[in-house]
Amino acid sequence: MQTITKYLALVVLCVSVQLINAQDTIPAIKNEKNIKMLRHLKTVVEKEEKDFLKIEVEAINKRLDNGEITLEEAQKLKMEVAKIAALNIENRIGIIDNKIALFERNDYGLNRDEKEVKLGLAVDGEEVFSVRGKNKPKKYDLRTSSDFVLAFGLNNAIIEGQKLDDSPYKIGGSRFLELGWAWKTRVFKNTNFLRFKYGYSFQINGLKPDDNKYFVQQGNQTVLEEFPEDLKKSKLSVTNLVFPVHFEFGPSKKIDKDTYFRYSTRNQFKIGLGGYAGFNIGTRQKLKYELDGEKIKDKQKRGFNTSNLVYGLSGYIAFDDVALYVKYDLSPIFKDQIVDQNNISIGVRFDVD
């Protein structure tokens, strides 16, 4: 194993695979290549004009040999074409020198409005593949932005007629995870105090029964029963696809630039109140135990009478991108039960833009 690891490390060092990010490194690399090409082009231009001059002089000499013009006229024509060639060389090289100076002075090259963006893979400095695109100029007023949403924390159930302290689920062991994408739109034109936030999320709500119990589906009822063996793990996971909607309010800072302006909520407090609705897309129970000295993992993918439609209330109090997050399902975890159970979660939420 150590030998394989050493060889892999050697291959990695030799190949030197690296990702190319155009916004930081490609402009400099591209400009360097362009400058090198333009410097070479200067010698090409000079040779090209001299070759043209040679052809012109040969044509004049041919006319002189044929008696079409006198020696004096031939000399005069040669001086004229030589002067034109010299000016062409001077002007064309001057244009190239200006382009070189522009590349040396700026990362963006010859076009400030649309920077080229390229993402790809390079091996030993040589591109293997790349994807090109354009960065368009910033919009003057961007009222809608988007964030990646990550939330996790403790999960449990509010059971009808019981206190949360009497929950049959482990307080610390039952957890939830939420991953999604959210858009945020400024409601009013001239203030950013109120924002409308909407998107989609995958919520995974986990319940770990206490006292060596597990979930059993008995017809249209789902109950907890004691497992005949000593359980190392008992967990029910309910996965939902939901579409959250929140009204977010709080202060923000206006940033004015020459060509655009933005409202920033960096290092600001914010409060979001709203709810969500969606669908149950999967339910699974995982059991781990030992039987006759053999470790067994049992994964049961069943309906367990969980609600197909889910909906609830949620809210958060945040500073910058980190929030204290609470969500509560108004829909019961299990449908048509004698006693309703509603999922409740509390944790931290990150909205990363």
Side-chain angles (χ1 to χ4, degrees), residues 47-284:
K47 184 178 183 302
E48 190 177 80
E49 290 295 337
K50 287 180 178 180
D51 289 341
F52 288 151
L53 176 60
K54 185 178 179 181
I55 294 171
E56 291 284 350
V57 170
E58 287 177 353
I60 293 170
N61 287 335
K62 189 173 182 180
R63 292 176 64 191
L64 178 62
D65 293 340
N66 293 336
E68 297 176 9
I69 56 175
T70 64
L71 180 60
E72 184 180 350
E73 289 174 332
Q75 293 293 341
K76 185 178 180 180
L77 288 173
K78 288 179 183 179
M79 289 181 64
E80 288 178 358
V81 295
K83 185 177 180 181
I84 291 172
L87 287 173
N88 286 347
I89 291 173
E90 181 182 349
N91 294 153
R92 291 178 68 183
I93 287 180
I95 292 171
I96 294 170
D97 284 337
N98 286 335
K99 288 184 178 180
I100 290 173
L102 187 60
F103 277 121
E104 289 176 336
R105 193 166 54 247
N106 301 287
D107 288 337
Y108 57 79
L110 300 180
N111 192 340
R112 184 185 289 269
D113 293 332
E114 292 191 357
K115 299 178 185 178
E116 183 181 63
V117 176
K118 182 162 64 175
L119 181 65
L121 183 69
V123 179
D124 283 339
E126 295 295 327
E127 287 184 28
V128 177
F129 71 90
S130 63
V131 179
R132 297 172 183 268
K134 293 287 186 181
N135 267 351
K136 295 183 179 180
K138 288 188 176 182
K139 190 176 180 180
Y140 179 71
D141 180 10
L142 189 66
R143 294 184 67 167
T144 299
S145 60
S146 59
D147 305 312
F148 170 70
V149 176
L150 168 65
F152 55 86
L154 302 178
N155 194 66
N156 218 286
I158 301 293
I159 302 175
E160 186 179 358
Q162 291 186 15
K163 296 180 180 179
L164 187 59
D165 290 343
D166 300 326
S167 172
Y169 310 117
K170 295 179 180 179
I171 300 296
S174 301
R175 303 181 185 92
F176 82 96
L177 173 67
E178 181 173 338
L179 296 169
W181 197 264
W183 288 266
K184 183 167 59 178
T185 298
R186 191 171 83 245
V187 174
F188 301 111
K189 183 178 181 180
N190 297 319
T191 176
N192 193 45
F193 184 77
L194 181 64
R195 286 88 66 180
F196 181 54
K197 200 158 189 175
Y198 50 95
Y200 62 89
S201 288
F202 292 94
Q203 295 178 348
I204 304 174
N205 299 321
L207 293 173
K208 287 187 176 181
D210 217 341
D211 300 326
N212 206 55
K213 292 184 178 181
Y214 74 117
F215 289 94
V216 177
Q217 184 174 337
Q218 298 177 348
N220 64 350
Q221 296 294 304
T222 300
V223 297
L224 285 172
E225 291 186 357
E226 188 171 353
F227 196 70
E229 305 296 332
D230 185 21
L231 282 170
K232 303 297 182 183
K233 183 177 184 179
S234 174
K235 179 182 178 181
L236 182 75
S237 296
V238 181
T239 303
N240 302 322
L241 170 62
V242 298
F243 302 91
V245 174
H246 293 95
F247 281 101
E248 182 182 282
F249 52 92
S252 59
K253 180 181 178 182
K254 188 175 182 181
I255 301 172
D256 283 301
K257 298 292 184 179
D258 293 336
T259 57
Y260 68 93
F261 75 90
R262 296 288 184 270
Y263 287 99
S264 173
T265 57
R266 292 285 184 186
N267 299 320
Q268 302 288 339
F269 283 99
K270 61 193 90 168
I271 296 175
L273 298 174
Y276 51 90
F279 312 94
N280 178 342
I281 59 174
T283 304
R284 182 178 67 174

